Amino acid sequence: MSLQIILIIAQKELRDALRNRWFLLYTIAFVALSLAFSYLALAGAGIVGFAGFGRTAASLINLVLLIIPLMALTVGAQSLAGEQEKSTLSYLLAQPVSRVEIFLGKYLGLALSLLASLTLGFGISGVVIALGGAGAVDPLAYVLLVGLAFLLSLTMLSVGLLVSAFTRKASVAVGIGLFLWLLFVFFGDLGMMGTAMALRVPIANLFLLSLSNPLQVFKMMAILDIQSTLDILGPAGLYAMRKYGDGLYSLLLGVLLLWILLPGLLAYARLAAKNDF
Amino acid sequence: MLTFIHLTKRFGKFTAVDDLSFEVRPQEAVALWGPNGAGKTTAIKCLLGLLSYEGRIEVNGLDAAKAGKAVRRQLGYVPQELSFYDDMSTLDMAEFYARLKKVSVARAQEVIAQVGLAGHERKPVGALSGGMKQRLALGLALLADPPILVLDEPTSNLDAAAREQFLRLLGEVKAAGKTILFTSHRLEEIEHLGDRVLVLGDGRLQFICPAEELPARLGLRATVKVRLAAAAIPAALDVLHAGGYTATAKNGAGLRIDVPHGEKARPLHLLSQADILIDDFEIE
């Protein structure tokens, strides 16, 4: 395996992503909405103007939950399927490169493009808040949120690539990606609430159920970063705090990393075994 | 240099390539000839590692199934359907593949000039004509100066002028000492480039012959249509029949002569020797 080849492919992937109009649209939307959220964050407190970092971080969680998974799932789903549809993937595979180099190069390039988008969105918002807002109250929470958002984007990128590896057409892959996005978002709140009420799911199981959704895991970690407790999530949050205590954050981080690794490995396994180029 | 040993490729119950064995010697140009579905492209895809297969393919002693990357380093590939990143410029594209093949980016500019695309470096690949794209594909295949070129129907999408230009370019590459394996169903391509021809049918090797013997081995024939004065037709028919040709009058204005491929001028010569004036002719 050659790191040089991986970096060459990553560089091309990054270039392609930054020219992708959907990607640019998502980025612009993310920047605009994060600025708007920052501005409105203090509205509840009756103060007009830009909120401090901590409060803004809290308000940005919901924005991240909506836009980042959509962005990452879309670019991931388009990636392999789009290249296979245009036959550029088979031409690339006919070169002296291995499939693992192609996969890692694509993953790295897309991850960097997502990081660029996040940095732009959070960065502009952060600079504006720092210059014109209520002061740098809790910048650490803000930085941690950026890091967590990046991890969330990687989970969705892995899922998107998994979809892409099993699909021959980019449009189908993106369609499945959008469906999964709806499922994750819906399952994150309304679905889980409804299931818990209808089936009277025990609290312990409800918490375990929430681990099956990376968006929920991200949300719990982000809340822990801001206020060190999950009281706001109700009984399930209280149960998790009592059961896992200080180890809760590590547990959630482990689950998030598993969500990055497992779909990613499955996507690669599919690409490696694929035999119909 | 390049050896296929009992290559078999099945897609479910369908056998696309069936027990194919042959060898390509250094600096030899070998053509895989056959109709669509004969298994030509499938055999090439197996060599490139795009398809799994039964049997064995060796390139300079390396097993293509186990050392795919090292094998592909020795191959330059021109695909049947050009699949490029259309929004990239010609030079960016060449530089991208140069870096993937670990050759200097300066080499990109060299091959662009070699295949006659100098002046088109900044043009997006999508804006190049079919012939230009095909030449770019050849340039990309030559980037790392590989000993073996693999061409899959290299002129199938080109018009006559572009085809002639591309074949001339391939002739230069062959003269420079490259080993070439190519697929084709065009006779002029085989005659121009090939040393030997492997004739495939339904995935099986039918026979191997020198390229110049292919038309005769296939029993290929042509029709020469000759236009001449109506009064000269009976005499012309006598001359042609005496020469062993099957000829028929064509609406009183000429003749249709059935000839073996490669002997199309001979009946014209016979008529000329008999002082029969030919106004015009065409070949079908």
Side-chain angles (χ1 to χ4, degrees):
Chain A
M1 188 165 63
S2 160
L3 181 64
Q4 188 189 346
I5 300 278
I6 294 170
L7 293 177
I8 292 166
I9 294 171
Q11 192 182 13
K12 191 200 155 291
E13 205 64 31
L14 180 62
R15 167 197 167 277
D16 287 351
L18 296 181
R19 288 184 176 195
N20 182 321
R21 59 187 168 162
W22 285 107
F23 188 81
L24 292 175
L25 196 68
Y26 286 141
T27 303
I28 291 166
F30 181 64
V31 171
L33 287 172
S34 56
L35 267 174
F37 270 58
S38 307
Y39 186 78
L40 295 170
L42 279 192
I47 303 164
V48 176
F50 289 99
F53 279 115
R55 199 184 296 270
T56 304
S59 67
L60 282 176
I61 290 173
N62 286 319
L63 178 65
V64 168
L65 279 169
L66 275 179
I67 291 191
I68 299 305
L70 183 63
M71 191 189 289
L73 272 169
T74 309
V75 295
Q78 276 180 334
S79 176
L80 291 169
E83 285 232 35
Q84 190 170 357
E85 190 176 355
K86 288 184 282 186
S87 295
T88 47
L89 186 57
S90 60
Y91 187 65
L92 194 58
L93 287 166
Q95 307 304 320
V97 295
S98 64
R99 295 189 184 197
V100 69
E101 287 164 349
I102 292 176
F103 184 81
L104 289 178
K106 282 188 166 291
Y107 197 102
L108 180 63
L110 292 174
L112 288 175
S113 63
L114 289 167
L115 184 62
S117 177
L118 281 170
T119 308
L120 195 70
F122 279 105
I124 291 175
S125 192
V127 167
V128 171
I129 294 161
L131 291 177
V137 178
D138 190 5
L140 183 63
Y142 197 77
V143 172
L144 280 172
L145 181 62
V146 179
L148 279 179
F150 181 53
L151 284 181
L152 177 67
S153 74
L154 293 186
T155 66
M156 292 295 105
L157 177 61
S158 292
V159 173
L161 278 166
L162 180 60
V163 170
S164 201
F166 277 90
T167 322
R168 295 187 72 92
K169 280 183 175 287
S171 54
V172 176
V174 170
I176 296 172
L178 289 175
F179 173 74
L180 287 175
W181 174 74
L182 273 174
L183 198 68
F184 282 130
V185 171
F186 167 77
F187 191 66
D189 287 318
L190 294 176
M192 203 174 292
M193 243 192 306
T195 308
M197 286 172 69
L199 301 178
R200 297 182 183 278
V201 179
I203 287 171
N205 292 355
L206 191 62
F207 175 69
L208 289 177
L209 197 64
S210 66
L211 295 183
S212 67
N213 185 338
L215 273 65
Q216 283 294 320
V217 178
F218 161 80
K219 189 154 82 176
M220 286 189 269
M221 290 180 79
I223 292 171
L224 277 175
D225 275 338
I226 294 167
Q227 56 182 35
S228 305
T229 172
L230 292 181
D231 295 359
I232 197 169
L233 295 180
L238 286 170
Y239 163 81
M241 288 297 296
R242 201 161 41 238
K243 170 98 177 165
Y244 298 101
D246 291 341
L248 180 60
Y249 196 83
S250 302
L251 171 75
L252 295 172
L253 184 63
V255 171
L256 214 52
L257 292 176
L258 273 179
W259 265 102
I260 295 170
L261 279 176
L262 285 181
L265 284 173
L266 282 173
Y268 169 67
R270 171 64 182 158
L271 177 68
K274 210 161 190 169
N275 184 28
D276 53 353
F277 291 104
Chain B
M1 184 161 218
L2 183 56
T3 314
F4 285 65
I5 306 161
H6 302 300
L7 177 72
T8 299
K9 175 63 196 176
R10 293 186 178 90
F11 294 101
K13 289 180 180 173
F14 173 68
T15 304
V17 178
D18 192 0
D19 199 25
L20 177 65
S21 295
F22 67 94
E23 188 183 357
V24 183
R25 295 182 283 267
Q27 302 193 350
E28 189 183 26
V30 170
L32 299 177
W33 162 277
N36 290 338
K40 309 182 296 286
T41 298
T42 303
I44 297 281
K45 285 187 171 183
C46 291
L47 166 65
L48 294 166
L50 298 175
L51 296 174
S52 64
Y53 52 87
E54 296 162 46
R56 188 176 167 90
I57 302 174
E58 286 180 7
V59 178
N60 284 329
L62 290 172
D63 184 343
K66 290 180 182 156
K69 195 171 157 181
V71 161
R72 289 194 294 277
R73 200 165 284 133
Q74 302 191 46
L75 307 175
Y77 170 54
V78 178
Q80 181 177 4
E81 296 201 359
L82 299 170
S83 33
F84 293 142
Y85 304 107
D86 283 348
D87 61 332
M88 273 179 124
S89 74
T90 305
L91 183 62
D92 285 348
M93 171 84 78
E95 285 183 349
F96 171 65
Y97 283 106
R99 292 168 68 207
L100 276 188
K101 294 179 184 205
K102 297 188 176 175
V103 295
S104 82
V105 287
R107 175 78 182 135
Q109 189 74 59
E110 277 175 37
V111 295
I112 285 176
Q114 186 182 351
V115 297
L117 289 176
H120 299 280
E121 292 89 344
R122 298 285 158 211
K123 208 179 252 186
V125 173
L128 297 177
S129 69
M132 286 174 166
K133 282 185 187 172
Q134 200 74 23
R135 280 186 275 147
L136 176 61
L138 179 62
L140 299 183
L142 292 170
L143 270 168
D145 197 19
I148 303 168
L149 277 185
V150 179
L151 316 165
D152 190 8
E153 301 276 0
T155 66
S156 60
N157 299 317
L158 302 184
D159 59 30
R163 190 181 306 133
E164 194 179 323
Q165 195 177 23
F166 191 72
L167 284 176
R168 201 163 46 237
L169 203 53
L170 285 178
E172 289 168 15
V173 170
K174 186 190 171 191
K178 298 284 180 207
T179 303
I180 299 175
L181 175 66
F182 67 106
T183 72
S184 181
H185 59 264
R186 286 182 183 279
L187 206 55
E188 83 245 34
E189 221 164 86
I190 305 278
E191 288 174 327
H192 182 88
L193 199 61
D195 297 316
R196 279 191 304 144
V197 188
L198 280 75
V199 176
L200 302 181
D202 296 326
R204 295 188 70 88
L205 180 61
Q206 306 295 317
F207 60 86
I208 302 176
C209 68
E212 61 273 16
E213 289 178 15
L214 181 64
R217 290 290 299 268
L218 291 173
L220 294 179
R221 302 187 71 81
T223 300
V224 178
K225 293 199 279 188
V226 175
R227 193 159 66 81
L228 68 177
I233 288 177
L237 282 171
D238 288 344
V239 168
L240 290 168
H241 290 156
Y245 290 101
T246 305
T248 51
K250 197 181 90 180
N251 302 328
L255 299 172
R256 293 173 64 91
I257 313 163
D258 179 50
V259 294
H261 190 91
E263 296 179 19
K264 294 186 274 292
R266 286 193 188 168
L268 304 180
H269 184 62
L270 271 180
L271 293 173
S272 177
Q273 277 185 325
D275 289 330
I276 296 171
L277 187 65
I278 301 165
D279 294 328
D280 198 4
F281 74 95
E282 61 182 289
I283 295 161
E284 265 184 2

